[in-house]
């Protein structure tokens, strides 16, 4: 039998008895890498399925944008600036303001359109109010006054500038470094107790990308450190950050007990990875468009986390 079959015939006969295993379309798509830039200029790398998810997220952003613009048309421009309701005096309760507050909270949890983020963040965070308490020229005067001064904080800032989102088309340029340096150095002199702490470079960099102007980014950084975050998050002993770590561990045990138990069995201290999350406000951990459009997954967002942060302060 074997003598009458060529080696090629035997190979074909043997192959016919074995299922042909070809990679599925999903496997092929998973292995296809795509690179592109998100709306904040960061390079995103993923497979085709990731791109499809991103497109779905962006469609949700567009849909949510239509809702915001419709409310602008019906309620008037800047309607979301008039949402505070007195918690103490019932006589001061205005149902229109209450309705606006409820509507605003729901809208923010679904995402703020990119074009409105600078204005909404600046208003709801309290940065606009903080800026209004000082002379108009405060930021320019501050940056001029500290120009050329050398401190331990300025030396550390200069060391960290090239390491802040390297490869970004604007941040990783002389202009981007100069703008980020002015914001960080200016704040280090405004609050000498904080000065500068590693992690603030990433926070300030993201604020620059979202807010568009360095002065607005400076005031957003100020309101974050002075009014929004736990006290002493960025002081020398990082006591506020340690408090956040303890709260996070408690929440992990409460909300995800199996994960917490597994980490405990491994004797793994979650603060080894979580400290950077909190010091950088997730700007190195989440894709830039998730922190901007709430808790959706892909390349959309350093800003979702921050949006909720500012909104809860306003609530």
């Amino acid at each position: 039998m074997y003598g009458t079959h060529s080696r090629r015939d035997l190979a074909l006969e043997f192959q016919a008895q074995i299922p042909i295993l070809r990679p599925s379309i999903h496997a092929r798509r998973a292995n296809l890498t795509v690179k592109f830039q998100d709306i904040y200029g960061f390079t995103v790398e993923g497979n085709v399925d990731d791109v499809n998810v991103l497109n779905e997220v962006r469609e949700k952003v567009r849909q949510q944008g239509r809702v915001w613009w419709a409310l602008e048309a019906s309620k008037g421009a800047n309607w979301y600036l008039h949402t505070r309701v007195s918690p103490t005096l019932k006589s001061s309760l205005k149902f229109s303001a209450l309705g606006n507050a409820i509507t605003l909270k729901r809208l923010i949890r679904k995402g703020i359109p990119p074009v409105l983020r600078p204005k909404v963040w600046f208003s709801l965070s309290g940065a606009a109010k903080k800026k209004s308490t000082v002379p108009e020229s405060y930021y320019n005067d501050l940056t001029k006054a500290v120009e050329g001064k050398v401190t331990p904080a300025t030396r550390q800032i200069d060391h960290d500038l090239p390491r802040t989102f390297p490869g970004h088309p604007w941040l990783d340029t002389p202009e981007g470094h100069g703008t980020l340096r002015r914001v960080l150095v200016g704040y280090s002199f405004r609050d000498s107790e904080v000065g500068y702490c590693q992690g603030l470079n990433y926070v300030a960099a993201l604020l620059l990308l979202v807010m568009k102007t360095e002065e607005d980014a400076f005031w957003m950084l100020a309101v974050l450190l002075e009014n929004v975050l736990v006290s002493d998050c960025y002081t020398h002993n990082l006591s506020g950050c340690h408090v956040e770590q303890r709260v996070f561990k408690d929440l992990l045990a409460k909300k995800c007990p199996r994960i917490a138990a597994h980490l405990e069995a491994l004797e793994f201290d979650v603060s080894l990875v979580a400290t950077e999350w909190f010091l950088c406000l997730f700007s190195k951990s989440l894709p830039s468009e998730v922190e901007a459009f709430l808790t959706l997954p892909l390349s959309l967002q350093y800003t979702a986390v921050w949006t909720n942060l500012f909104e809860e302060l306003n609530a």
Side-chain angles (χ1 to χ4, degrees), residues 230 240-257 259-261 263 268-279 282 285:
V230 176
C241 186
H242 296 318
V243 171
E244 290 179 328
Q245 295 303 313
R246 181 57 186 269
V247 172
F248 176 65
K249 289 179 182 178
D250 291 345
L251 281 173
L252 188 65
K254 182 178 180 180
K255 299 293 185 180
C256 306
I259 294 177
L263 293 176
F268 179 77
D269 185 357
V270 72
S271 64
L272 293 174
V273 293
T275 297
E276 182 184 87
W277 300 348
F278 289 97
L279 286 178
F282 299 92
S285 312

Side-chain angles (χ1 to χ4, degrees), residues 44-61:
V44 180
E45 183 174 335
N47 58 38
V48 175
D49 290 331
D50 293 332
V51 175
N52 290 337
V53 173
L54 177 61
N55 288 334
E56 291 176 9
V57 171
R58 287 181 170 173
E59 179 56 32
K60 290 181 183 293
V61 173

Side-chain angles (χ1 to χ4, degrees), residues 16 41-42 63 72 102 129-130 176 181 183-185 251-252:
F42 291 99
Q63 292 173 5
E72 289 261 308
I102 295 172
K129 183 177 180 180
K130 184 176 287 290
R181 187 183 192 279
V183 171
L184 292 171
V185 171
L251 281 173
L252 188 65

Side-chain angles (χ1 to χ4, degrees), residues 84-123:
R84 290 186 180 273
V85 179
S86 171
T88 55
L89 298 177
K90 291 185 178 180
S91 59
S92 69
L93 184 63
K94 294 184 178 180
F95 286 102
S96 60
L98 178 61
N100 283 349
I102 295 172
T103 300
L104 180 63
K105 187 164 187 172
R106 290 173 178 170
L107 282 173
I108 287 179
R109 290 192 178 281
K110 291 183 179 180
I112 300 173
V115 70
L116 287 178
R117 281 172 199 156
K119 185 167 64 170
V120 174
W121 279 20
F122 201 66
S123 301

